[in-house]
Amino acid sequence: MSSYEVGTQCWYPDETLGWIGVEITSHKREGGKTMLGLKSEADGSSLTVSTAGPLDDTNSDLPLLRNPPILEAAEDLTSLSYLNEPAVLHAIKVRYSQMNIYTYSGIVLIATNPFQRVDQLYSPDIIQSYSGKRRGELEPHLFAIAEEAYRCMKTDGENQTIVVSGESGAGKTVSAKYIMRYFASVKELDSAVGSHTPTDMSDTEKQILATNPIMEAFGNAKTTRNDNSSRFGKYLEILFDKGTNIIGARIRTYLLERSRLVFQPKIERNYHIFYQLIAGATAEEREKFSLAKVEDYYYLNQGGEARIAGIDDVAEFKITNEALSMIGIKDDQQFEIYQILAALLHMGNIEITATRNDAHLSSEDPDLIKACDLLGIDAYNFSKWIVKKQITTRSEKIISNLSHKQAIVARDSVAKYIYSALFDWLVEYVNIDLCPEEVVAHVASFIGVLDIYGFEHFEKNSFEQFCINYANEKLQQEFNQHVFKLEQEEYIREEIEWSFIEFADNQPCIDLIENKLGILALLDEESRMPAGADESWIEKMYLTLDKAPTNAVFKKPRFGNTKFIVSHYALDVAYDAEGFIEKNRDTVSEGHLDTLKETSNSLLKGVLATIDRNAEKLETAKAAAAAAAGPGRRVVNKKPTLGSIFKTSLIELMKTIESTNVHYIRCIKPNEEKKAWEFDPLMVLSQLRACGVLETIRISCAGFPTRWTYAEFADRYHILVSSEIWNSVLNGSASEDQIRLLCNKILEKSVASKETYQLGNTKIFFKAGMLAVLEKKRTDTLHNAAVMIQKNVRMIIYRNQYLQARASIIDAQALFRGFSARVRVQKAIEEHAATKIQTASRGFLARKRFSSTQRSVVTIQSAIRGIQTRRNVTKFRTEKSAVALQQAWRNYTGRRDFKAMARAALYVQCCLRRRLAKIEFRKLMAEAKSVNRLKEVSYTLENKVIELTQSLSAKITENKLLIAQITTLQGSLAESGESREKLKAREAELSSQFDLQSAQHLQETGAINADLARVRDEFVQAEAKIQELTSDQNALKEEVRKHLEELEQAKEEIAQRNAVEGDLKSTISQLKAELAILAAQGPVANGRADKSRLVTNGQWNGQPVSIIPVSGKEEINANSINEELWNLLQDSKSLHKEIVDGLLKGLKIPPAGVAADLTRKEVLFPARIIIIILSDMWRLGFTKESEEFLGEVLSVIQEIVSALKDEDIIAHGAFWLSNTHELYSFVSYAQSTIIENDAISNEMTEQEYDEYLRLVAVVKEDFESLSFNIYNMWMKKLEKDLEKKAISAVVLSQSLPGFMAPESSPFLAKVFSQGTQYKMDDILSFFNAVYWSMKTYFIESEVMKEVVVELLRFVDALCFNDLIMRRNFLSWKRGLQLNYNVTRLEEWCKAHDIDDGSSYLSHLLQAAKLLQLRKNTTDDIDIIYEICYDLKPSQIQKIISQYHVADYETPIAPDVLRAVADKVKSHGGNEDYFEALSPEDHFEDPFRNIPLRPFSRVEAYVPAWLNLPIIRRIIELVAKNASVQDTADDGYEESHPLS
């Protein structure tokens, strides 16, 4: 089947755009020719192509085929199905329009210059993302190449080289700079595995990075193509030891553009350092160097533009100075460097006047004098050899005058010589500093970064372009051989059948340049001749090289005799021979050399010595090469030319590269105007040809360019075979053999010719174009399947409609027939019912008359019988009731009299006691009011307290008697209730007896009727009596209620009396405290003053409330207690050991959790024990000892927290954080107490008071630092633990059933085992553990919220940063799963009173929404920007560009992707993709923003399981001391009673 069918997309050549997309609109066969009608996508114009050849890719008359849309923006160009020039160009263009500046082309990374700062692509987060990742796991990036080189070196131990090439302005220098930064950072990332905060660089790494601004300042300049163009080649070797640590570096430079020093074309500049010096020099330097403006110097004003937009030369000069200092060049040496540079500027202003035949220079020229003064040379001799030359013969030396033009060349040659020597000296100094002898001994491997000029071709090409293109020829040859070698090695490794691949060899061009009679040899020969000239040299080349076999690559132009053409691998370049000889000689006259060597400038001497050393090295190398060539050859010492030096260094470079594993980065300049994000197809196409990318693709196309692993191929193309074949493999645990078998079946069915593919060991290799064929078959299969599904769905819909209509008709018929049948049946039923109704009504009337008569008879009979029965019963009940009433009345009167007497007695007793109590109360009040006479009658206070105590005991006794009387009355009330119960039981017994005797009473009915009237009268009287008894009973209840109220009032009076007594005690305690303040403290046993620092009026006094029992039998003496305490605290070694080993390190913290019910004393006992010991140290004057004690406690607590691991992190961290805050609160409270309490300052001297304040302030600061450190360590450990789980749980886990997104390769997922997988339940359990640990250990709610919020932000940033870097992952279903996972976190926040949890997870939520929203039109994009307002435009663009379109979705249109990229460009295009993980590498301590914990009395609690004898004894003694203080205070109170 032909590929050129109607509707096929192709490429057609175009003069302005290079290539345009066309579509085949017609396909006809006329006269043995095939006529193809084409329609242009650009303007809709029609084209016609005719061909007589076959319709396949071997026919060059046909337009080139276009790749499927899914492949047009492929990350690797070798994965394109049709690997042709327009496909490669279009892929780079599409990716560039989407702000993807990097693209793979096999082993080559193509980097397209954006001409805009894109720092977000090179941030530390990006470096961390690529660290440890294999190439292909993430998007193309130069960090991926750097990482591949680093891993190859680390794994294989082989040296590596990264070749960065491209034309001026393509971004080579920036790329090399970022590669160096990556290597300087990647080791730190390796050492900080699991941490999101990299460590600092070493000094060596900083020095390596410092070489960049130095080399750029002295070797870069502004050109028409680039504002920071490298005017030299550089090969930087980064040296590693056996542990892959960076230990040094070496730099090799190639072909510095010396002529730029003395000449710059329009709009170009000299080297940056001159402009930096003039802009940034100090006033003193300006005066000493006699510096003026840039426009005043001939060497700087030729270009006409002294400034570069967006560049501050002052700031750059400061950076250059810092970099020079970093590599060890001191300020005085820097001064000498700038002195030489200033001398060069003055040298360019030396005015040489022209006479008739020669030149004249005055030795009094001010610029000459200043230049020579700065260089430390003789001005006369220097000026002499500018206008004269010396020719040395065998017998004599001849001095002649120079022409004006020759004199200017001589002046400029000296300037170029000095600057070149200075540049070489800087490079040598850097190498000595970064690679001393001791470092060389430890070098195990290196990674070289080659930043070298790309292929150049201008209107006028001179010696510099020739050398640059020569270097590129050598590099291209090595590149072709390397690509060919890798290609063949891949085929051998996979064991497939292959034939030799031919590739364009540029060896003839290299031979033309390098051979004995080549261009360089002829140039050196002519340069060494005194009368050598460009004209004679080019004539020699015409005679020697313009013949076979060299005429294939060397041509003479048709017009002119001053040019020659070399056929390079990229294109033919015409070189202008003018200036070749002079530039190749690059010589300085002997007179000038002698003058320079006599300089008094020490730095200039060292600079010139560098030239001599380099020349000696070159001669030694030549001698060694000659000796190796043959022992009989004579070595002739010739002065090296610039061409020979460059050739030697280039050969050495190629040897180095060939001995390493090479990686390639080709930099592309997208437009000539340096406009951001603009793409010139013709310009890019020429660079692709020049840099060898297309040649690489051609080599690949000659073999099997497309290669897929078996798993990837089966994953994408399994639908080409029956589901019976792949269903078991897809759903089961697939082995590699099963996947290979499935791939074989797919290929057998889908590919007719087996020559178009090869099966390797791990991959399937395809010829060019096969992938498009398979993709088309896959698309057709999906289309046919969709059509089949649509057909069946439509069939089901219409069949359902037919069945519904048929069922409706049948239902209508059934309803009609049912209706007519029901009418007939209804009529028959009604007739039958009428007959039945008549029969029933007649029967009903007859039965009704009979029933009425029967009921009347029965009613009369029952009435008569009832009257008789009631008469008999009434008579019996009347007699029995009279007896019962009499009995009840007698009982009632007896109880009433008794209760009246008891109530009266109780009332009298209460009144009497109340009166006595009031008298006593008034007496106490009178005594209390006489407190002001305390000092006069203090001796009566003790007796009064005793009397109050006795009175209190008496009142308590009376209270007990009252309670006993109440109990007695309550017992009497209970007996009354029992009597009522007995009465009720008696009544029930009588009722039962009545029932038993009712039969007998019926027989006496006749007799009873006679007495009925009499009994009725008695009954009325009895009823009246009952009413009277009831009223008496109610009165009795009311009396009992009043009794109870009086008792309650008595209780309240007793409570009030107790309150009054409590107030009296409180007053006594206050008076006691005041007396204690005024009283002098007695000395302790050892003679030290008892300096109690923490006593305040009405505030905490530092005394513990101990739960350790204090024996009451032993005699307590304050002096003995203080003496023992002093001894225990003085033994700091034992105390510290018990504190550290027993209390801190040996501590088992109480378990935390939802069910934990701990008290503060069980949580905070370590802090409170330390508080007690610390306060007593201060009280007994152990100031220095307390500082040592606290220092050790602080370090141990910090050590404990820093050593926490695994499950201990959450609970232990929260425990120690709470205890630390308790300690900080205590010290802060103590400080405020000391400052506010004047009594403390009064009892100490001013020096003691200041020392004490300083001590407390230092301790407070230490505890604040400890709290800050513990909080930060704890948070970082929490984040580290969370970092292991969050991505797997939030991003990867799929918890929402029914919307499971398939893996990127389900076969790979089955073949390769995966690591630990976490779910959202693990994350929620983590947050629960953190929350309940803090809550259990009494951490304040504000701190709890701050911790949870920080962790939520961390999860949001971490998961979002991972999500945004994932390839082939982001999809609609992933958005649903992500939204579900994040919503679970949000619900957890709501359940735990954390408001606005969604605001801390906004990036994840909005990313999930973005994945679920439509992205088909630009209007959809506008909606996305409105909804995802927290996401930056660059983040939205990154997610959309990474979006994986499912087979059932509409692909995102290129216009939409371009619109998203334009949105980013409009915002500057320099926004970082990533969210910050933690604030500036540390967290603010939230405890500083909350109130301190309150203190009253410290409860000393030591768990029973802790073996702490010294601490227990100290706390027991402190408790005894507190008890003694309380006793003393009570005694003082008793000895000063209240009057």
Side-chain angles (χ1 to χ4, degrees), residues 532-564:
D534 297 327
E535 294 77 9
S536 59
W537 170 62
I538 199 158
E539 287 296 331
K540 288 182 181 179
M541 285 200 298
Y542 289 161
L543 294 173
T544 308
L545 302 177
D546 193 15
K547 59 183 179 181
T550 55
N551 60 355
V553 289
F554 180 88
K555 300 174 184 177
K556 178 182 178 182
R558 294 177 61 185
F559 304 102
N561 293 322
T562 60
K563 295 184 179 181
F564 63 95

Side-chain angles (χ1 to χ4, degrees), residues 1192-1226:
E1192 190 162 2
V1193 167
L1194 294 176
S1195 63
V1196 170
I1197 293 177
Q1198 189 163 327
E1199 178 185 347
I1200 290 172
V1201 175
S1202 63
L1204 294 178
K1205 294 180 181 179
D1206 303 329
E1207 294 83 4
D1208 294 339
I1209 293 174
I1210 296 175
H1212 286 67
F1215 177 83
W1216 286 113
L1217 198 61
S1218 182
N1219 275 274
T1220 303
H1221 186 56
E1222 183 81 2
L1223 290 168
Y1224 176 78
S1225 298
F1226 157 72

Side-chain angles (χ1 to χ4, degrees), residues 874-934:
T874 300
K875 181 180 178 182
F876 176 77
R877 290 184 63 186
T878 300
E879 293 176 353
K880 295 300 181 182
S881 296
V883 175
L885 289 173
Q886 292 173 357
Q887 183 182 7
W889 171 252
R890 295 186 186 102
N891 290 336
Y892 166 71
T893 54
R895 286 194 303 276
R896 182 185 61 188
D897 297 338
F898 172 77
K899 289 179 180 179
M901 289 187 68
R903 186 166 58 253
L906 179 61
Y907 180 74
V908 171
Q909 292 174 353
C910 289
C911 290
L912 180 60
R913 290 169 183 152
R914 183 167 59 249
R915 182 177 180 186
L916 294 175
K918 288 181 179 179
I919 293 170
E920 185 68 22
F921 173 71
R922 282 193 289 269
K923 184 178 179 181
L924 291 173
M925 288 296 293
E927 293 175 352
K929 291 178 180 178
S930 61
V931 172
N932 295 329
R933 299 173 56 198
L934 178 63

Side-chain angles (χ1 to χ4, degrees), residues 352-367:
I352 304 173
T353 57
T355 60
R356 184 174 183 179
N357 296 321
D358 52 17
H360 173 72
L361 173 61
S362 172
S363 59
E364 301 299 325
D365 185 277
D367 288 296

Side-chain angles (χ1 to χ4, degrees), residues 1226-1272:
F1226 157 72
V1227 177
S1228 300
Y1229 192 86
Q1231 185 184 42
S1232 62
T1233 302
I1234 295 168
I1235 295 173
E1236 294 171 2
N1237 194 346
D1238 295 335
I1240 297 178
S1241 60
N1242 294 334
E1243 71 179 11
M1244 288 187 290
T1245 64
E1246 184 177 355
Q1247 183 179 358
E1248 290 177 339
Y1249 184 74
D1250 292 340
E1251 180 185 356
Y1252 196 59
L1253 274 179
R1254 183 198 60 79
L1255 172 62
V1256 176
V1258 169
V1259 172
K1260 179 183 176 182
E1261 184 178 350
D1262 290 343
F1263 277 122
E1264 184 175 353
S1265 299
L1266 177 64
S1267 177
F1268 175 84
N1269 293 337
I1270 289 180
Y1271 180 75
N1272 273 267

Side-chain angles (χ1 to χ4, degrees), residues 89-109:
L89 179 65
H90 183 67
I92 296 174
K93 180 180 179 181
V94 171
R95 289 183 58 79
Y96 188 72
S97 67
Q98 298 172 7
M99 301 185 70
N100 295 316
I101 64 175
Y102 294 112
T103 306
Y104 290 131
S105 177
I107 64 170
V108 181
L109 176 70

